[in-house]
Amino acid sequence: MRGRDSRWAKVAGATAVLLLGAGCGAGSGGGDSAFGREAAHAEIVAAVEKAGLPKSDLPGIGGPTPTDSTPAPTPSTERERLQERAAACSASWQYLGPPVDGSRPGVEKAVAALVGEDWVQGERQVEKLDEKGGTMLQITLRKRGWVLYARHTGAQGLGMEMIALHATETACMNRFTEQEQKVLFGEDAEQG
């Protein structure tokens, strides 16, 4: 990925952390009200369940917020406010934990389930991470103004696995000005 797409992919990761760390409301970033944030999230969750991916204890749209967590603080910096706006353009699900047998094929099954819901599969990348067999798989899907990245990262040496399905609404993300992008992405905003 290069240019603008790589910047949005980076914010996708950052907003997934924000979404999953703080929970999120039921709002929509805008665009097609028939297929908004809630619909995208429902399709992601259904695909994850159908694929038999491991249970995630991380909160998501409509998901439970752990009772021992505290509400996220009010954003105090411009970057935090922009991250919150970017989160409103996103829907995601993530698992982070010990390796689970069958999770990589499970990601493939989740992608197939999303394709069955009219998501169009695009680019597929596989990268070797280390000499111990660690890999990263990323598959891009698109539907009605949304871009979804399905990722599986397995770091054998660390004994950890990350699975993420993160979708962003393009029109919503395009509302960021060039200056806001520079604040949100830092130096990467100037590339591409």
Side-chain angles (χ1 to χ4, degrees), residues 47-191:
V48 163
E49 290 173 356
K50 186 174 186 177
L53 288 170
K55 182 179 183 313
S56 175
D57 292 328
L58 301 172
I61 295 175
T65 300
T67 55
D68 61 336
S69 70
T70 57
T74 301
S76 60
T77 67
E78 181 63 14
R79 186 163 195 220
E80 288 173 350
R81 286 187 283 280
L82 291 170
Q83 287 174 330
E84 192 171 85
R85 274 183 51 207
C89 300
S90 305
S92 62
W93 175 94
Q94 181 175 352
Y95 168 82
L96 179 62
V100 176
D101 286 340
S103 61
R104 173 109 177 227
V107 171
E108 302 278 3
K109 289 177 188 174
V111 167
L114 289 165
V115 168
E117 293 293 330
D118 298 326
W119 288 85
V120 177
Q121 185 173 332
E123 186 177 337
R124 174 189 180 90
Q125 298 175 335
V126 178
E127 293 181 32
K128 183 178 175 181
L129 298 177
D130 58 40
E131 297 301 319
K132 297 180 181 179
T135 61
M136 190 278 297
L137 165 70
Q138 176 175 287
I139 302 171
T140 305
L141 299 110
R142 298 180 189 282
K143 178 178 179 175
R144 297 172 72 178
W146 285 77
V147 178
L148 185 146
Y149 296 100
R151 294 183 180 101
H152 175 274
T153 305
Q156 302 299 327
L158 298 176
M160 290 195 66
E161 188 167 50
M162 186 184 91
I163 306 164
L165 283 82
H166 183 88
T168 56
E169 185 181 21
T170 304
C172 183
M173 295 300 280
N174 285 341
R175 291 184 192 127
F176 288 88
T177 66
E178 186 175 327
Q179 182 58 38
E180 289 171 330
Q181 290 177 33
K182 286 180 181 177
V183 172
L184 189 58
F185 301 116
E187 293 178 20
D188 291 335
E190 297 173 7
Q191 299 174 2

Side-chain angles (χ1 to χ4, degrees), residues 2-26:
R2 294 198 168 261
R4 188 176 184 111
D5 286 341
S6 68
R7 291 191 312 268
W8 289 131
K10 288 178 183 178
V11 84
T15 56
V17 170
L18 179 65
L19 281 168
L20 296 168
C24 23

